[in-house]
Amino acid sequence: MVSIQALTKRYGPFVAVDGLSLEIGRGQLFGFLGPNGAGKTTTIKMLVGLLRPTSGRAAVTGHDVVTEPEAAKAAIGYVPDSATLYDKLTAREFLEFSGDLYHLDRPTRNRRIATLLGLFELTPRADELLSAYSRGMRQKVSLAAALLHEPQVIFLDEPTVGLDPRSARLMKDILLDLCRDGRTVFVSTHILEIAERMCSHIGIINQGRLVTAGPVAEILHRDGGSESLEHVFLELTGSEAGEDIGPLLAELER
């Protein structure tokens, strides 16, 4: 469903993503993990066609994202880390606008909108302006818009940011249902506990380079042992776990 071959993005001398190669299959919930600045968002933006790679190739459902952008984007749903919505539209109007962009006929569009508004518990406020929505509610509208055309691959960049525990659980259940239905979900997150519980496969990127990828169970049981995802993540990204910050706090208090 997603094929990435030596994908690279440079900004002058700075290499944001360095020779990334991945194959992600149908029905996988793939967690893309890494420290701040590791290249996660840059990778996602290249995969959804918002950034042009410096070199390498990426394809979604067999369509090259650079040479076949319309076919690739028709198969993609995308939720950025900060939802950009039109504040002067209501949630219903925004979803109608999104459906029109994908050329959905009106009966299909309206039926799907009603279903998604109900699924995300937005129906009571569907006709309020988006300017009155909280960040979590805007995130749910953004995901509803991404699902409206029934994409085969859904990319989400930090999807649980701003969500309360109930909404985060709802988001998780929806993503798992999508995978059971044969869709592929590619999600970037900083919350390792969510990735460990939810994802079937993960990849860890550090300084633009992929350091490991595969089924979660295999990565957690490397060398015959059983480790937490946090331990594996900190080890592979060169982070220090349990660093004593007492001396630094004492210095601040001086």
Side-chain angles (χ1 to χ4, degrees):
M1 294 292 275
V2 181
S3 178
I4 307 170
Q5 300 170 8
L7 198 65
T8 299
K9 182 63 180 178
R10 293 188 177 90
Y11 296 96
F14 175 69
V15 183
V17 178
D18 190 0
L20 178 66
S21 295
L22 270 174
E23 298 290 333
I24 303 169
R26 181 182 298 275
Q28 288 186 16
L29 206 166
F30 184 86
F32 198 47
L33 315 176
N36 291 331
K40 301 186 299 298
T41 295
T42 300
T43 297
I44 290 176
K45 286 185 175 181
M46 287 191 286
L47 295 177
V48 301
L50 292 178
L51 281 178
R52 191 179 185 92
T54 304
S55 60
R57 178 180 182 272
V60 177
T61 64
H63 300 290
D64 190 290
V65 298
V66 174
T67 62
E68 303 173 90
E70 290 188 6
K73 289 175 182 177
I76 288 173
Y78 171 51
V79 181
D81 58 345
S82 181
T84 302
L85 307 177
Y86 296 108
D87 285 347
K88 297 305 179 182
L89 296 180
T90 66
R92 192 185 308 277
E93 289 170 340
F94 180 78
L95 293 176
E96 290 173 347
F97 170 70
S98 299
D100 290 343
L101 289 177
Y102 286 100
H103 308 293
L104 297 179
D105 63 78
R106 183 164 294 185
T108 300
R109 182 199 69 181
N110 291 344
R111 174 174 51 80
R112 291 182 184 174
I113 287 173
T115 299
L116 288 165
L117 288 172
L119 180 65
F120 287 104
E121 303 173 340
L122 293 170
T123 302
R125 299 185 62 181
D127 297 307
E128 293 183 22
L129 292 178
L130 290 168
S131 59
Y133 274 34
S134 67
R135 180 170 183 176
M137 292 176 66
R138 293 168 72 90
Q139 193 79 343
K140 290 195 282 188
V141 172
S142 184
L143 180 56
L147 297 178
L148 192 58
H149 61 294
E150 297 189 341
Q152 292 301 303
V153 182
I154 301 97
F155 293 93
L156 304 103
D157 196 355
E158 299 291 347
T160 58
V161 171
L163 296 182
D164 58 48
R166 176 183 171 85
S167 297
R169 176 58 185 267
L170 175 64
M171 176 86 72
K172 172 187 171 183
D173 290 343
I174 291 171
L175 297 182
L176 289 172
D177 281 343
L178 289 169
C179 291
R180 282 190 283 267
D181 192 41
R183 317 292 179 87
T184 297
V185 175
F186 186 110
V187 56
S188 164
T189 180
H190 283 104
I191 306 176
L192 300 180
E193 293 83 1
I194 288 179
E196 187 169 352
R197 292 197 308 267
M198 182 173 68
C199 296
S200 61
H201 295 67
I202 60 170
I204 298 177
I205 187 173
N206 190 38
Q207 297 180 350
R209 294 184 178 182
L210 189 70
V211 293
T212 192
V216 173
E218 290 184 8
I219 290 174
L220 295 183
H221 294 83
R222 301 178 309 162
D223 305 320
S226 178
E227 301 176 299
S228 69
L229 184 55
E230 180 184 38
H231 178 85
V232 173
F233 179 88
L234 294 174
E235 183 179 85
L236 293 177
T237 58
S239 305
E240 292 294 332
E243 182 179 354
D244 183 8
I245 63 171
L248 295 176
L249 292 176
E251 184 66 24
L252 287 173
E253 293 172 355
R254 289 179 60 184

